[in-house]
Amino acid sequence: MSCLHKRPKRTKSEEQAFQEQMKKVAQENGKRLGLEGDPDLQFLLVGGELVKIRSRSWKKNRFFKLQEDCKTLWHESHKTFRRNQTFSIDDIDSVRKGRQSEGLNKHTDPSVEEQCFSIIFKGRKKNLDLMAASGVEAKQWVNGLDKIMNNLRNLSRQQKREHWIINCMRKADKNEDNKMTLKELKHFLRQINVEVDDTYAAEIFNKCDKSNSGSLEGSEIKHFYDLLTQREEIDVIYESYAQTEGQMSARDVLNFLLNEQREQVTMEDAVKLIEKYEVDETAKQKKHMTKDGFLMYMHQEEGSIFNPAHKEVYQDMHQPLNHYYISSSHNTYLMEDQLRGPSSTEAYIKALMKSCRCVELDCWDGDNGEPIIYHGYTLTSKVLFRDVIKAIKEYAFKTSDYPVILSLENHCSVDQQKLMAHHMISILGDALLTKPLGNTMPTNFPSPAELKGKFLIKGKRLNKLDAIFNNNGTIDEDTVSEEDEAADCKENEQKTKPKKSKIKLAKELSNLVIYCKSVHFNGFEHAKENQAFYEMSSFKESKAFNLAETSGTAYIHHNMDKLSRIYPVGSRTDSSNYNPVPMWNVGCQIVALNFQTPSKEMHLNQGRFLPNASCGYILKPEFQRDLSSQFDPNTLSRGPWLKRKTFSVMVISAQQLPKVNKDKHKSIVDPLVRVEIYGVPADNASKETHYIENNGFNPSWNESFRFDVHVPELAMLRFVVEDYDSTSQNDLIGHYCLPLTSVQNGYRHVPLLTKRGDVICSAGLFVHLMLLDAQ
């Protein structure tokens, strides 16, 4: 059942020996994951029948089983050319118990709730909706997969590296005899993305084949592994600081942390690192760190480019809401483009699980009196408003406790608006904010801390907010101007359809709009004189970029008092994105992007919201909050924002870069690294290394770059690793982005992410960084 490739038929005794060997392999991998003897892991390794569900009529029994590498799930397939299929645990985004996917909700009955679960994949791969024979079995599948996923995430970079290499070796061992011939060795090297000529491969092989048997086994494979994984660049660093009996004493470790890493630490901190990462007990007792201990430390978060202190909520969360950048999504309901793409509750779940704190609901009249969400006048599919609100309620606060704004683009009749209000009140319950905090009319926004666990509605309102306190809320319905965005988004799709400039608004829906009342923008002076703090405007990107360029300081002052939402122009039918950085530069809070579209712009968004526990709120710099500030990102006059820095980056090496073209067996990458700075116009810069031919396993560059940074508080640092191609556009291998203020100095490892923003488990860059005051 678990046969993955053709192999010579074994005798009964050979098969028994093979099965015993596979058990040992599974035990080793289970131990490496910290799950040795775990009953849920054992259950998955045995495997079992599950019902795969695609529709009411398509429900098929399929056998599923975890492979011995404890990282690959195998399942039978009845397709003619694909009898067996596998996918990696790394490809799973989450496992959901119960009927929590759209498919299971639609195609199964509530009576089988306990037996159902869904495997949600990263990227655009379809969910796997499954049903077990019993609730107990479903729980075991979910628990087992969750444990493996969590433990894989928690492995150190060094452990991930070992896990990956060892399993690549096993795949290369075609006849599964636990020996490696020269041919298998070359196959293995290609798997790990290294192209070596025959002479060099034979040289490594002969160096390790001490027994002259023509194959490597046991300690010879271990020797080969050690040769392969040796990090010369780290050896050099270690040896330059190991001044005590060939090892690093606590004093040596302290010297390294102070001189290289530029950390403000004490001897006590150095001793703690030794106690935490040293693997040799004798060295630990002497308060020494061996090379292995040093390597362990370098691969942990203390050795990462990203400041570990910023993994927690470290910013002041008690400032008014408009003092923060807020992670925001546009057309949140779409899984793909905005002309034909599917609308889905899954798109809301994915955005919320990435700590998006402002989602958009494009609401239209639906059949049977039920409002729906889709991209009007297009071929995108439709989803019930009620189902979207249920999904939002379920997933809004799983990754962040801070408030979620529901941005309504309302095209519904009065009756269906009343139903929208009813659904939000009944489903969201006490979490829905229906009146201002406190007992008096507010004069500014509450803070994210005060609004924890709350939903705010952004939309049109019939009257002023003070009507709540003056008992002047007698309007039942009236016409209001249609949201600016609604008109713009459709301008390129339905030119023959007359635009409505007015829309009737139901009192029930109007009353739910408290701190985010949508109004038309008539200029900064008009807004200053006439708009209340809770009255906010939406700007299409072209208008916002023009204002940022011509009236930067005025825009910043506008955003010190009010909220601004920026959205992509309607001509972006492919759901592409604009650069969010110029919008953050002028203090815009709700810079809405198409989360479903992987792009450089989304990488910048992910980097911007990486610190502060990735909670979806980032406190703006003080010069974007202080009313006396005259900051303009385009002119850079003198002021507290001007903190000139010299930023030096040495790109040293990379480790285990993935193949870009996995279909081509002999394809090896030719990697180069580009270092980019995004910020105010004066700081934008990009520099790149040369490319290395045919080595994705351990390429080495040792190239240094220098950047002059004027406003470091607004600067973003992005690393891009590409596969060089002389005849066509380079392919992206991986990237990583973070604010310059979250960068640690010294020798650091940089994780790499896929185009869609998921971590590439074993890959990374090794760099040296130094951010210093400019002379």
Side-chain angles (χ1 to χ4, degrees):
M1 188 63 76
S2 62
C3 172
L4 293 179
H5 50 259
K6 289 181 183 177
R7 59 167 80 92
K9 196 165 183 184
R10 302 188 185 95
T11 64
K12 195 172 180 182
S13 60
E14 283 174 336
E15 184 59 33
Q16 282 176 336
F18 172 72
Q19 292 301 337
E20 282 302 311
Q21 181 59 35
M22 287 299 98
K23 271 187 193 173
K24 282 182 187 171
V25 169
Q27 281 170 358
E28 279 173 38
N29 282 312
K31 189 175 181 180
R32 198 172 285 115
L33 282 172
L35 292 172
E36 190 177 13
D38 183 87
D40 291 326
L41 178 67
Q42 297 310 312
F43 174 80
L44 264 59
L45 285 164
V46 171
E49 290 268 342
L50 291 168
V51 180
K52 185 176 173 182
I53 297 168
R54 281 197 185 150
S55 67
R56 278 271 173 193
S57 57
W58 199 103
K59 296 177 182 178
K60 311 277 185 182
N61 280 15
R62 296 287 184 263
F63 192 87
F64 283 75
K65 178 183 184 297
L66 182 70
Q67 295 291 276
E68 288 78 11
D69 65 0
C70 296
K71 203 180 173 182
T72 310
L73 209 62
W74 174 93
H75 61 101
E76 64 180 325
S77 169
H78 289 190
K79 289 179 182 173
T80 311
F81 299 107
R82 299 176 75 181
R83 305 298 292 174
N84 304 306
Q85 285 187 290
T86 62
F87 58 85
S88 170
I89 300 289
D90 286 334
D91 294 335
I92 301 175
D93 184 63
S94 60
V95 183
R96 294 192 203 138
K97 193 168 184 327
R99 298 162 60 248
Q100 290 195 53
S101 72
E102 277 185 320
L104 286 174
N105 217 356
K106 199 186 289 184
H107 306 315
T108 62
D109 297 315
S111 59
V112 295
E113 177 80 31
E114 292 298 308
Q115 294 164 250
C116 291
F117 67 97
S118 298
I119 294 175
I120 313 299
F121 292 100
K122 296 169 182 173
R124 288 186 178 176
K125 188 174 178 181
K126 284 183 181 174
N127 299 349
L128 201 48
D129 289 329
L130 302 164
M131 187 168 73
S134 68
V136 174
E137 278 191 26
K139 195 174 177 183
Q140 277 191 288
W141 279 103
V142 174
N143 287 352
L145 290 169
D146 273 343
K147 281 177 188 174
I148 296 168
M149 286 163 63
N150 288 332
N151 288 31
L152 275 171
R153 284 190 199 114
N154 292 331
L155 287 178
S156 72
R157 279 179 54 82
Q158 180 68 7
Q159 288 168 318
K160 283 175 186 170
R161 178 182 167 82
E162 287 178 6
H163 196 73
W164 182 74
I165 290 172
I166 288 164
N167 285 314
C168 282
M169 280 182 172
R170 293 228 160 82
K171 283 178 189 169
D173 180 13
K174 288 289 189 184
N175 59 358
E176 294 171 337
D177 62 356
N178 284 324
K179 296 177 185 178
M180 285 185 83
T181 62
L182 180 56
K183 187 179 177 183
E184 286 174 333
L185 174 83
K186 284 158 75 175
H187 174 68
F188 163 69
L189 288 170
R190 272 197 300 274
Q191 271 203 312
I192 63 169
N193 218 349
V194 180
E195 182 67 63
V196 294
D197 64 29
D198 290 352
T199 312
Y200 181 58
E203 193 181 305
I204 302 178
F205 186 85
N206 293 329
K207 195 182 281 187
C208 298
D209 185 16
K210 305 284 187 192
S211 59
N212 295 317
S213 62
S215 62
L216 306 183
E217 55 185 307
S219 60
E220 294 171 336
I221 292 178
K222 173 76 169 69
H223 183 212
F224 170 67
Y225 171 81
D226 290 340
L227 276 178
L228 194 69
T229 56
Q230 188 176 349
R231 291 284 301 277
E232 282 183 29
E233 67 274 47
I234 290 183
D235 290 352
V236 169
I237 299 163
Y238 178 80
E239 281 156 18
S240 67
Y241 278 91
Q243 301 295 314
T244 313
E245 302 165 24
Q247 295 180 342
M248 283 174 80
S249 65
R251 171 62 59 190
D252 297 334
V253 173
L254 181 62
N255 286 340
F256 172 75
L257 295 174
L258 293 172
N259 299 331
E260 284 309 340
Q261 309 298 73
R262 300 294 174 106
E263 293 180 23
Q264 294 179 324
V265 289
T266 62
M267 180 64 81
E268 190 183 348
D269 297 310
V271 170
K272 277 182 185 170
L273 274 185
I274 293 169
E275 286 171 354
K276 191 173 180 182
Y277 295 120
E278 183 47 57
V279 287
D280 185 305
E281 284 302 322
T282 309
K284 196 186 279 191
Q285 282 171 7
K286 288 183 180 177
K287 294 190 170 52
H288 281 196
M289 186 178 263
T290 62
K291 196 186 289 181
D292 286 342
F294 185 69
L295 195 61
M296 284 287 283
Y297 148 71
M298 289 299 289
H299 279 108
Q300 295 294 335
E301 64 175 23
E302 288 94 339
S304 168
I305 187 174
F306 181 56
N307 186 344
H310 292 187
K311 286 191 170 183
E312 309 302 322
V313 174
Y314 73 98
Q315 294 182 333
D316 176 7
M317 301 305 286
H318 293 85
Q319 301 270 336
L321 198 68
N322 63 312
H323 283 190
Y324 298 83
Y325 303 129
I326 302 170
S327 181
S328 306
S329 164
H330 175 249
N331 287 350
T332 315
Y333 46 90
L334 290 177
M335 297 289 280
E336 294 172 24
D337 70 81
Q338 61 187 48
L339 284 184
R340 294 181 176 79
S343 304
S344 170
T345 57
E346 192 60 47
Y348 285 92
I349 294 169
K350 282 181 183 288
L352 292 166
M353 292 301 282
K354 289 176 180 169
S355 295
C356 177
R357 299 291 86 188
C358 179
V359 295
E360 185 182 18
L361 296 86
D362 202 341
C363 312
W364 299 80
D365 280 356
D367 298 334
N368 306 318
E370 279 288 348
I372 54 170
I373 289 176
Y374 86 113
H375 203 244
Y377 315 127
T378 68
L379 299 174
T380 62
S381 64
K382 302 170 175 66
V383 60
L384 286 175
F385 177 85
R386 178 184 62 204
D387 288 347
V388 166
I389 298 298
K390 282 180 184 172
I392 289 172
K393 164 73 171 170
E394 179 72 27
Y395 287 93
F397 304 111
K398 284 194 184 291
T399 58
S400 171
D401 294 331
Y402 292 103
V404 170
I405 299 168
L406 307 187
S407 180
L408 302 183
E409 192 183 296
N410 173 24
H411 306 269
C412 291
S413 61
V414 169
D415 284 346
Q416 295 211 12
Q417 287 177 41
K418 289 177 181 177
L419 197 51
M420 282 166 61
H422 168 76
H423 287 325
M424 288 192 285
I425 291 165
S426 61
I427 294 167
L428 301 179
D430 292 342
L432 178 64
L433 198 78
T434 55
K435 62 181 193 324
L437 300 184
N439 299 316
T440 57
M441 179 61 199
T443 54
N444 62 4
F445 287 100
S447 69
E450 291 173 287
L451 292 167
K452 267 188 176 182
K454 293 291 184 186
F455 293 101
L456 279 61
I457 306 301
K458 174 199 164 288
K460 292 289 182 182
R461 186 179 168 92
L462 291 167
N463 51 12
K464 294 276 188 184
L465 196 56
D466 53 14
I468 294 172
F469 298 94
N470 300 336
N471 296 317
N472 185 23
T474 54
I475 305 170
D476 281 338
E477 62 190 61
D478 202 352
T479 57
V480 291
S481 63
E482 193 175 11
E483 180 67 51
D484 303 335
E485 179 180 352
D488 173 70
C489 278
K490 310 303 173 281
E491 67 184 11
N492 294 288
E493 293 139 27
Q494 192 76 5
K495 290 193 174 175
T496 55
K497 180 119 183 141
K499 289 183 197 172
K500 287 182 182 178
S501 58
K502 296 284 184 182
I503 186 170
K504 273 199 167 183
L505 186 61
K507 179 185 76 170
E508 291 84 347
L509 191 60
S510 164
N511 287 349
L512 297 182
V513 175
I514 307 300
Y515 289 115
C516 302
K517 177 185 175 181
S518 298
V519 297
H520 182 73
F521 179 73
N522 289 307
F524 292 125
E525 277 305 313
H526 179 272
K528 191 176 179 180
E529 297 298 324
N530 298 283
Q531 276 180 228
F533 77 90
Y534 58 84
E535 293 182 313
M536 62 174 289
S537 300
S538 287
F539 302 80
K540 68 177 173 182
E541 66 174 272
S542 49
K543 185 172 185 176
F545 273 74
N546 183 49
L547 288 170
E549 205 169 304
T550 58
S551 313
T553 306
Y555 212 162
I556 285 164
H557 276 265
H558 176 82
N559 291 322
M560 285 178 190
D561 182 45
K562 298 169 185 68
L563 288 169
S564 290
R565 180 176 187 268
I566 320 301
Y567 60 91
V569 289
S571 55
R572 291 184 181 273
T573 53
D574 59 350
S575 293
S576 58
N577 283 310
Y578 56 87
N579 179 4
V581 175
M583 299 295 92
W584 293 324
N585 287 347
V586 289
C588 296
Q589 302 88 350
I590 302 175
V591 181
L593 298 177
N594 289 300
F595 267 53
Q596 76 276 21
T597 307
S599 59
K600 175 178 73 178
E601 295 79 17
M602 271 306 297
H603 302 164
L604 289 166
N605 194 75
Q606 188 173 3
R608 165 58 70 205
F609 293 99
L610 178 65
N612 215 28
S614 297
C615 75
Y617 284 83
I618 294 289
L619 185 63
K620 295 195 282 186
E622 193 173 352
F623 56 79
Q624 290 189 339
R625 298 180 273 127
D626 179 3
L627 290 169
S628 66
S629 171
Q630 291 303 304
F631 174 66
D632 184 335
N634 304 300
T635 58
L636 289 190
S637 57
R638 287 195 171 277
W641 49 85
L642 212 58
K643 297 173 183 170
R644 283 199 175 93
K645 302 275 185 186
T646 299
F647 182 52
S648 303
V649 182
M650 178 187 250
V651 178
I652 301 170
S653 61
Q655 299 79 45
Q656 291 160 234
L657 301 175
K659 286 191 181 195
V660 175
N661 194 340
K662 290 180 181 174
D663 298 331
K664 286 190 180 174
H665 178 57
K666 294 193 175 181
S667 164
I668 306 292
V669 299
D670 302 326
L672 62 83
V673 179
R674 192 164 56 255
V675 184
E676 301 172 341
I677 301 283
Y678 293 86
V680 298
D683 290 342
N684 292 334
S686 174
K687 298 180 182 183
E688 74 180 33
T689 67
H690 66 287
Y691 68 92
I692 306 280
E693 277 193 61
N694 289 332
N695 187 353
F697 182 72
N698 57 359
S700 182
W701 293 274
N702 292 310
E703 284 192 54
S704 295
F705 306 119
R706 181 186 144 142
F707 300 89
D708 293 317
V709 182
H710 300 81
V711 187
E713 287 177 273
L714 290 177
M716 306 282 294
L717 170 65
R718 181 172 180 245
F719 290 93
V720 185
V721 186
E722 289 181 343
D723 181 12
Y724 172 78
D725 195 318
S726 59
T727 57
S728 62
Q729 192 176 355
N730 294 349
D731 288 319
L732 178 74
I733 296 173
H735 69 93
Y736 188 72
C737 183
L738 76 168
L740 202 56
T741 50
S742 293
V743 169
Q744 295 203 97
N745 281 328
Y747 288 105
R748 302 293 174 184
H749 279 102
V750 181
L752 289 175
L753 311 179
T754 64
K755 191 175 182 182
R756 291 198 161 271
D758 301 310
V759 175
I760 304 170
C761 281
S762 54
L765 291 175
F766 187 54
V767 297
H768 185 272
L769 311 140
M770 202 53 66
L771 184 65
L772 301 171
D773 291 334
Q775 297 300 314

